[in-house]
Amino acid sequence: MKSTAVAPWRARLQIALWRHGSAGTALLVAMLLVTGLLTWTLQQMGVALTQTRQALEQEHVDAPAARTPTPGNDEAARVAVLQALLATSPAPEEVVREIAAQANAVGIAWTQGEYRPQWHPATQTTQWQVTQPALATYPQLRQLIDAVLRANPHVSLDQVAVQRDDTAQAQVQVRLRWSIWTLGAAPRGVPSPVPGN
């Protein structure tokens, strides 16, 4: 009984050897070994994933007790930190002059810009939106943005629009929109932070 059960497998092996040669049979054996190794690896990864999932669930269960409200997590505390930062920040016109000086330092010439204040009563702050067109190369633009954001924690870059009419142009037309954040409401009747603009 055993010999008849083994004979078909032996016959199939001999046929495979005859059709594909020893290289094909070796390749088949290698593929079977790789398949077995991959199956074992996937099983181990499944076990590791299950353990990680259980650890994360346990951490999530324990977290509410550890996450007691602290002043740093409180919204009012965050607003107070923001207001303390903005209380020491320079006036918007000084910041615009500083941005213009940094632009000149990297070789960018500013043109006439647009300035618009927006009051945020929840944080008691004014957002001065400064939209500035210029001509610049990409490296100049990168240097300017890095310099302004490093020097001014109360300034954010809201938008960068770049336009190039010809791929051979060294400089591109750029529109930068900055936000300069100040504490308190903007004075009435002041259209911009820069006198004369």
Side-chain angles (χ1 to χ4, degrees):
M1 206 71 172
K2 272 187 181 175
S3 61
T4 53
V6 172
W9 287 105
R10 197 175 284 166
R12 287 184 188 148
L13 182 60
Q14 288 174 348
I15 291 171
L17 280 170
W18 178 74
R19 279 189 182 166
H20 305 292
S22 59
T25 306
L27 180 63
L28 178 64
V29 170
M31 287 175 56
L32 290 172
L33 287 173
V34 168
T35 303
L37 182 63
L38 283 174
T39 303
W40 178 81
T41 304
L42 287 173
Q43 288 173 346
Q44 296 303 315
M45 288 174 65
V47 169
L49 181 63
T50 302
Q51 291 172 347
T52 304
R53 194 176 288 150
Q54 289 171 348
L56 287 172
E57 287 172 0
Q58 184 62 37
E59 190 176 305
H60 185 68
V61 168
D62 295 342
R67 259 194 252 134
T68 54
T70 61
N73 291 337
D74 185 23
E75 183 70 25
R78 286 197 295 268
V79 169
V81 169
L82 171 68
Q83 290 176 342
L85 172 72
L86 296 182
T88 60
S89 62
E93 58 270 13
E94 292 176 35
V95 177
V96 171
R97 281 192 214 105
E98 183 183 333
I99 292 173
Q102 289 169 329
N104 288 334
V106 296
I108 299 175
W110 288 121
T111 58
Q112 185 72 19
E114 301 168 11
Y115 306 91
R116 188 175 55 132
Q118 183 178 354
W119 169 243
H120 296 275
T123 56
Q124 298 292 300
T125 57
T126 299
Q127 175 187 11
W128 293 91
Q129 292 182 328
V130 181
T131 303
Q132 196 71 55
L135 284 174
T137 64
Y138 288 116
Q140 288 173 327
L141 188 60
R142 178 63 187 265
Q143 286 177 344
L144 174 66
I145 291 170
D146 286 348
V148 170
L149 294 179
R150 280 195 190 122
N152 302 287
H154 58 285
V155 173
S156 62
L157 178 62
D158 301 335
Q159 184 180 33
V160 178
V162 178
Q163 179 181 344
R164 178 184 281 189
D165 296 329
D166 183 9
T167 55
Q169 286 178 315
Q171 292 185 320
V172 292
Q173 294 176 358
V174 180
R175 281 182 70 85
L176 298 172
R177 189 171 74 205
W178 306 94
S179 283
I180 303 170
W181 297 85
T182 58
L183 189 60
R188 290 181 181 256
V190 179
S192 76
V194 179
N197 284 341

